[in-house]
Amino acid sequence: MTTDEYDAGPKLEKLTENLAKVEALSERLMGALARYKPHDPSLNGPSQEVFMKAAQAYLAAMMQNPAKVLEHQVGYWTKSLKHYIEAQQALATGEFKAPADPGPKDRRFANPLWETHPAFNYLKQQYLINSDAVSTAIADMEGIEPGERQRVEYFTKQIVDMLSPTNFLGTNPDALEKAIATDGESLVKGLENLISDIEANNGELLVTLADREAFEIGRNIATTPGSVVFRNRMLELIQYAPTTETVHATPLLIFPPWINKFYVMDLKPQNSLIKWIVDQGFTLFVVSWVNPDAGYADVGMDDYIREGYLTAMAEVRRITGEKQINCVGYCIAGTTLGLTLAHLERAGDPSVKSATFFTTLADFSDPGEVGVFLNDDFVDGIQRQSESDGILSRFFMSRTFSFLRSNDLIYTPAIKSYMLGETPPAFDLLYWNGDGTNLPAKMAIEYLRGLCQQDGFAKGEFPVFGKPVSLEGVKVPLCAIACETDHIAHWKGSFNSVRQMGSDDKTFILSQSGHIAGIINPPSKGKYGHYTNDGPMAAPEDWLAGATFHQGSWWPRWGAWLAGRSGGQVKARIPGDSGVPVLCPAPGTYVLPKPSH
């Protein structure tokens, strides 16, 4: 008996054993899928009207300009046929090789077999040729309204990305190689990962991006020392312990978005914005929002402003004894901070000394990429579902935001987890990304209808406590930080929002990178730079053309801006020293995962 024959038996036995495990796991998979609760179908994708309009535009183009359509088709046929002939010629030489592959590099096709193996190379090149043909046809459509064009382009790209051969086991060489190398064990682990994700989301599929067991809030994530000094049904207010003997007199209060949890600003000491602010000598308070359930169904924007913003501001003033405070609002919390400031201006209340906006949209006339999800086909579905459930579930929001970067946040993680059987990485940012919160039904619809769809704040029509407020009403000194490649709050929209605000003292900073990495960018990393321009805020393109680029983080620049508006030095304030009792240590209780039932 040869060595190969000796090895083949145990390997075949192991493979057979693993395939049997796959069959057994299939029963568990059926059980997990049975927990699926049907939801409004409008949440799954755009209405067919989007694609009907695209089809009508394409048909009109065929009738009005058939030469252009034929040019597209002939170009596509030529590329496909040429590639087929080249593949045949390569094989006719008697060598098992692929034809030359001059196309652009695509990190989805990093495995060498995509270039060297004739079958895999043929699949890859044909997919890329097809993708290019579809993209060109969509880009050249005429007679379609710009907003509809954006939606057609976006959702067509989603379909094209979904159909990549890397997303299917039989045409993914990485997955096939690992399945063979592990005698099928990678497929068993992958199926276990898939089932676990479906079980964790009650029958829905949402790929886990980070190892759930690697982090514990308060132990190795969100660890900056501090105390909860106030709590109501909307929030816990955290006061952080000072690290300097003296601090600026004016305290700082940060409002994070309540779509996610605040600790993105406190992932670990090396990149913690919260720790950095404290180390600069500021008395820092941060709001930790409640994760609402159906009992919060009737909580609206007014409730967030009254019981959230105004209450937190009052508590910070009471604890510190200061008449004025500085505030920060991040994303949706920045939008709502703007509404609050306009209300305070109307009421003649000078409580806020200055405001900082992180990646904030207040003018939604051009909402950017997220605009594809703001048409009635989606929002009507969200309204029906949230009114039924009492909340807009974190599941739907997480899935929607993931589709803005589907290759990075859906397909690549799914391939690694389900096809390769890998454990998700111990990555703090991705752990946070998967730790979302729900939105109250009333608040979600008020935000989507009144602010996003109707652009009520920019038009001066959105009501706060029954009376409309406008961007012109935001008159405090302000600093706004936007991010160059932000998929959620695009920087030009942030710029235009700030430009319309009524303040005479505006500073705009454009950071490199995206919605999170552009903000959580500590000076120690020396990674992403930023742009500034002291000139007038006219068109965003003109502002950027005349801007100065600075290497490194914007944090020190903002820190200096904030220090200039934070008064002189006073003895450092310690949580509890004002007589207000400490309720529990930071990061508090609202940020913790809810127990499963």
Side-chain angles (χ1 to χ4, degrees):
M1 179 181 290
T2 67
T3 304
D4 289 343
E5 289 171 330
Y6 180 81
D7 290 339
K11 288 179 73 66
L12 183 59
E13 187 177 312
K14 184 69 174 176
L15 178 61
T16 303
E17 181 184 327
N18 281 321
L19 290 176
K21 289 180 181 178
V22 168
E23 287 190 26
L25 283 168
S26 297
E27 295 182 20
R28 184 177 153 201
L29 175 61
M30 292 301 103
L33 291 171
R35 296 164 62 182
Y36 173 77
K37 177 185 175 183
H39 57 256
D40 197 290
S42 296
L43 295 173
N44 291 331
S47 69
Q48 293 302 308
E49 184 182 358
V50 174
F51 300 106
M52 285 298 296
K53 287 180 178 178
Q56 290 168 0
Y58 192 75
L59 182 61
M62 287 179 63
M63 302 296 290
Q64 296 167 14
N65 192 357
K68 188 174 184 179
V69 175
L70 282 173
E71 180 185 349
H72 285 167
Q73 290 297 314
V74 169
Y76 167 64
W77 295 338
T78 300
K79 289 179 183 177
S80 296
L81 185 58
K82 180 174 179 289
H83 177 228
Y84 174 76
I85 293 171
E86 288 174 347
Q88 290 289 88
Q89 289 174 340
L91 290 173
T93 63
E95 297 181 46
F96 192 72
K97 68 176 184 179
D101 189 351
K105 298 298 180 184
D106 186 322
R107 61 181 179 178
R108 290 176 294 179
F109 303 103
N111 189 304
L113 288 176
W114 287 115
E115 291 194 21
T116 61
H117 192 287
F120 286 120
N121 181 263
Y122 187 79
L123 282 171
K124 182 192 86 167
Q125 291 207 49
Q126 285 296 315
Y127 167 74
L128 294 177
I129 289 170
N130 293 340
S131 301
D132 181 66
V134 170
S135 300
T136 300
I138 297 297
D140 286 352
M141 280 192 312
E142 297 177 355
I144 186 168
E145 187 263 332
E148 294 295 344
R149 175 187 292 279
Q150 182 190 24
R151 301 192 88 211
V152 170
E153 289 177 346
Y154 175 82
F155 290 113
T156 300
K157 184 177 186 303
Q158 293 297 323
I159 294 170
V160 168
D161 288 345
M162 180 180 66
L163 294 176
S164 168
T166 55
N167 295 336
F168 302 91
L169 176 64
T171 52
N172 186 315
D174 291 305
L176 294 172
E177 285 180 327
K178 189 163 186 181
I180 293 169
T182 62
D183 303 317
E185 186 176 354
S186 60
L187 298 181
V188 174
K189 290 182 177 178
L191 187 54
E192 288 174 341
N193 290 341
L194 174 64
I195 294 170
S196 294
D197 283 350
I198 294 173
E199 289 175 338
N201 291 287
N202 294 315
E204 298 271 11
L205 177 57
L206 188 66
V207 62
T208 297
L209 299 178
D211 186 352
R212 296 190 188 101
E213 307 302 319
F215 299 100
E216 182 182 344
I217 296 172
R219 180 180 65 82
N220 61 353
I221 197 169
T223 59
T224 299
S227 304
V228 174
V229 292
F230 174 80
R231 180 187 295 123
N232 65 13
R233 68 167 184 156
M234 299 299 295
L235 61 84
E236 288 183 326
L237 183 65
I238 301 170
Q239 179 182 356
Y240 284 91
T243 58
T244 55
E245 292 185 4
T246 63
V247 293
H248 290 280
T250 305
L252 179 65
L253 170 59
I254 297 181
F255 294 98
W258 52 92
I259 292 175
N260 297 101
K261 296 181 180 178
F262 80 91
Y263 66 87
V264 70
M265 296 180 287
D266 192 28
L267 294 172
K268 54 178 174 279
Q270 298 92 320
N271 66 356
S272 171
L273 177 58
I274 285 174
K275 181 180 185 303
W276 183 87
I277 290 171
V278 171
D279 289 345
Q280 307 314 301
F282 294 97
T283 301
L284 178 62
F285 294 81
V286 175
V287 163
S288 174
W289 298 103
V290 72
N291 184 4
D293 54 25
Y296 285 76
D298 293 329
V299 168
M301 292 293 289
D302 278 352
D303 298 298
Y304 271 87
I305 292 173
R306 181 186 296 108
E307 299 178 54
Y309 285 74
L310 298 179
T311 298
M313 290 173 180
E315 288 299 318
V316 171
R317 294 198 309 275
R318 181 168 75 96
I319 290 169
T320 62
E322 296 291 328
K323 293 182 178 179
Q324 286 189 306
I325 65 174
N326 293 318
C327 292
V328 176
Y330 195 157
C331 192
I332 185 178
T335 309
T336 313
L337 176 59
L339 295 171
T340 305
L341 294 172
H343 161 73
L344 292 174
E345 174 66 24
R346 184 179 61 199
D349 186 335
S351 298
V352 177
K353 194 172 185 178
S354 78
T356 299
F357 298 101
F358 293 167
T359 64
T360 294
L361 283 181
D363 176 358
F364 287 88
S365 58
D366 176 13
E369 288 186 52
V370 294
V372 300
F373 295 106
L374 295 178
N375 284 52
D376 278 339
D377 51 357
F378 274 112
V379 178
D380 288 351
I382 289 172
Q383 182 163 359
R384 289 189 295 265
Q385 188 69 45
S386 59
E387 287 176 349
S388 172
D389 296 343
I391 55 170
L392 174 56
S393 168
R394 70 174 186 86
F395 169 83
F396 298 117
M397 289 184 290
S398 179
R399 186 177 66 176
T400 298
F401 287 131
S402 292
F403 271 110
L404 291 173
R405 293 174 54 204
S406 57
N407 282 325
D408 292 333
L409 296 179
I410 298 177
Y411 302 126
T412 297
I415 289 168
K416 290 180 178 179
S417 184
Y418 307 150
M419 290 191 201
L420 301 178
E422 296 178 2
T423 300
F427 188 1
D428 52 8
L429 181 59
L430 291 180
Y431 175 87
W432 165 85
N433 188 74
D435 188 20
T437 58
N438 306 316
L439 296 183
K442 182 180 179 181
M443 172 266 140
I445 299 309
E446 287 178 340
Y447 175 75
L448 291 171
R449 297 289 193 199
L451 289 169
C452 298
Q453 284 191 324
Q454 298 165 13
D455 201 16
F457 196 8
K459 293 178 179 177
E461 299 171 354
F462 191 84
V464 173
F465 307 139
K467 296 180 180 179
V469 294
S470 69
L471 290 172
E472 176 63 28
V474 181
K475 295 186 181 294
V476 300
L478 61 90
C479 180
I481 295 89
C483 298
E484 195 173 17
T485 58
D486 196 328
H487 293 272
I488 296 171
H490 69 126
W491 81 266
K492 292 180 181 179
S494 294
F495 181 95
N496 286 326
S497 300
V498 172
R499 181 176 55 81
Q500 298 173 68
M501 291 180 179
S503 173
D504 295 326
D505 180 0
K506 301 176 185 176
T507 298
F508 188 83
I509 300 171
L510 179 61
S511 174
Q512 291 183 312
S513 196
H515 194 70
I516 300 300
I519 297 297
I520 309 304
N521 179 31
S524 59
K525 288 176 74 173
K527 192 169 184 181
Y528 301 118
H530 60 281
Y531 300 87
T532 62
N533 185 342
D534 295 331
M537 294 184 70
E541 297 85 359
D542 295 338
W543 182 92
L544 183 58
T548 301
F549 178 75
H550 309 273
Q551 191 62 50
S553 173
W554 55 268
W555 291 10
R557 186 175 303 277
W558 173 64
W561 181 92
L562 189 63
R565 292 157 179 81
S566 298
Q569 294 289 304
V570 298
K571 183 180 177 182
R573 304 174 177 107
I574 298 171
D577 66 1
S578 65
V580 175
V582 166
L583 302 182
C584 67
T589 60
Y590 283 3
V591 73
L592 300 178
K594 287 189 172 185
S596 57
H597 299 286

